[in-house]
């Protein structure tokens, strides 16, 4: 992601180099800096991984478990960015819910997602969720959300918590898949098979 620093361990100290060689080295360094700056500004949407680590208490790729731990599963249109917290590495998005599969959310809501985009267009995502796209205003998405004790709606982890929709998406089939997974939701179990996180009982709208 970041340009690698060239190591010149073979070079003799600058004070022992001929003057023309030092001038040549400075010219090369200046050219390299100029090229680096040009590439940086020419590609302002480069994706980088921000070192934000976490761990999941369950398999976020298992829909019957993921949907069991979700408070809300909703089809939404991303209206815009409500706020960005670069210190915490999160973005809050204003969304319009168009269909609710599980839970009670409806209408305009604010959802929070790990990851953010700087003012220069450079996007940061987490190491744990490189396959979860950061929400974009104007996009249609299926979101799997958890609710924090303070009432915030948080995008859950894993690539299946954000599904970006397009003209080729079979929404009816996607909806049916999530309804079935929510209706057959399983608790989170430890290594011995003992339930440690019960299924969150929320209304499922089949």
């Amino acid at each position: 992601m970041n340009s690698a620093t060239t190591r010149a361990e073979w070079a003799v100290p600058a004070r022992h180099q001929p003057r023309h060689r030092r001038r040549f080295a400075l010219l090369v360094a200046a050219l390299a800096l100029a090229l680096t700056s040009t590439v940086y500004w020419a590609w302002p949407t480069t994706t980088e991984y921000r070192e934000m680590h976490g761990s999941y208490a369950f398999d976020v790729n298992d829909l019957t478990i993921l949907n069991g731990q979700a408070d809300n599963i909703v089809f939404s249109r991303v209206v815009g960015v409500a706020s960005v917290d670069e210190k915490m590495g999160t973005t809050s998005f204003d969304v319009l819910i168009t269909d609710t599969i599980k839970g009670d959310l409806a209408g305009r809501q604010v959802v929070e997602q790990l990851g953010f985009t700087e003012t220069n267009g450079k996007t940061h995502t987490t190491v744990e969720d490189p396959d979860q796209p950061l929400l974009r205003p104007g996009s249609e998405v299926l979101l799997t959300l958890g609710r924090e004790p303070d009432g915030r709606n948080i995008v859950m982890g894993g690539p299946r918590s954000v599904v970006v929709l397009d003209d080729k998406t079979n929404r009816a089939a996607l909806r049916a898949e999530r309804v079935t997974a929510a209706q057959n939701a399983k608790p989170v179990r430890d290594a011995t098979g003992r339930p440690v996180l019960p299924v969150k009982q929320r209304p499922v709208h089949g």
Side-chain angles (χ1 to χ4, degrees):
M1 296 173 190
N2 296 324
S3 300
T5 302
T6 302
R7 301 183 62 188
E9 295 177 338
W10 50 267
V12 297
R15 64 179 181 274
H16 297 310
Q17 295 180 6
R19 184 173 300 174
H20 69 276
R21 183 176 297 177
R22 276 180 281 168
R23 287 178 179 173
F24 177 74
L26 289 173
L27 178 62
V28 171
L31 180 61
L33 179 61
L35 288 174
T36 302
S37 299
T38 300
V39 171
Y40 178 82
W41 289 110
W43 302 95
T45 57
T46 301
T47 299
E48 292 188 347
Y49 289 109
R50 179 178 170 84
E51 294 297 327
M52 296 183 295
H53 294 275
S55 60
Y56 303 130
F58 54 87
D59 182 1
V60 295
N61 291 303
D62 186 329
L63 277 182
T64 58
I65 295 178
L66 177 67
N67 288 12
Q69 294 304 305
D71 290 285
N72 290 277
I73 304 170
V74 294
F75 285 97
S76 306
R77 178 169 60 86
V78 184
V79 178
V81 175
S83 63
V84 176
D85 188 337
E86 293 191 12
K87 183 177 180 181
M88 296 301 295
T90 61
T91 303
S92 293
F93 294 92
D94 183 13
V95 303
L96 175 63
I97 295 173
T98 57
D99 184 19
T100 301
I101 295 175
K102 178 183 179 181
D104 55 8
L105 284 186
R108 291 280 285 267
Q109 299 288 337
V110 173
V111 301
E112 185 177 302
Q113 183 184 22
L114 276 173
F116 67 96
T117 299
E118 296 180 25
T119 54
N120 61 19
K122 187 173 292 185
T123 299
H124 298 252
T125 56
T126 66
V127 173
E128 282 71 30
D129 286 330
D131 296 322
Q132 182 183 109
L134 193 63
L135 300 181
R136 291 183 178 275
S139 61
E140 300 281 341
V141 291
L142 174 63
L143 299 176
T144 302
L145 305 170
R147 181 171 291 165
E148 292 293 286
D150 60 7
R152 288 177 298 132
N153 297 303
I154 306 296
V155 177
M156 296 181 70
R160 308 190 82 173
S161 292
V162 176
V163 179
V164 180
L165 313 178
D166 57 31
D167 294 339
K168 298 179 180 179
T169 303
N170 187 332
R171 300 191 183 204
L174 181 59
R175 192 184 197 286
E177 176 191 47
R178 294 308 178 97
V179 167
T180 299
Q183 291 174 335
N184 295 285
K186 299 181 295 188
V188 177
R189 301 179 183 275
D190 63 17
T192 67
R194 180 175 59 90
V196 291
L197 289 175
V199 172
K200 291 186 177 181
Q201 299 299 328
R202 304 287 188 269
V204 177
H205 310 278

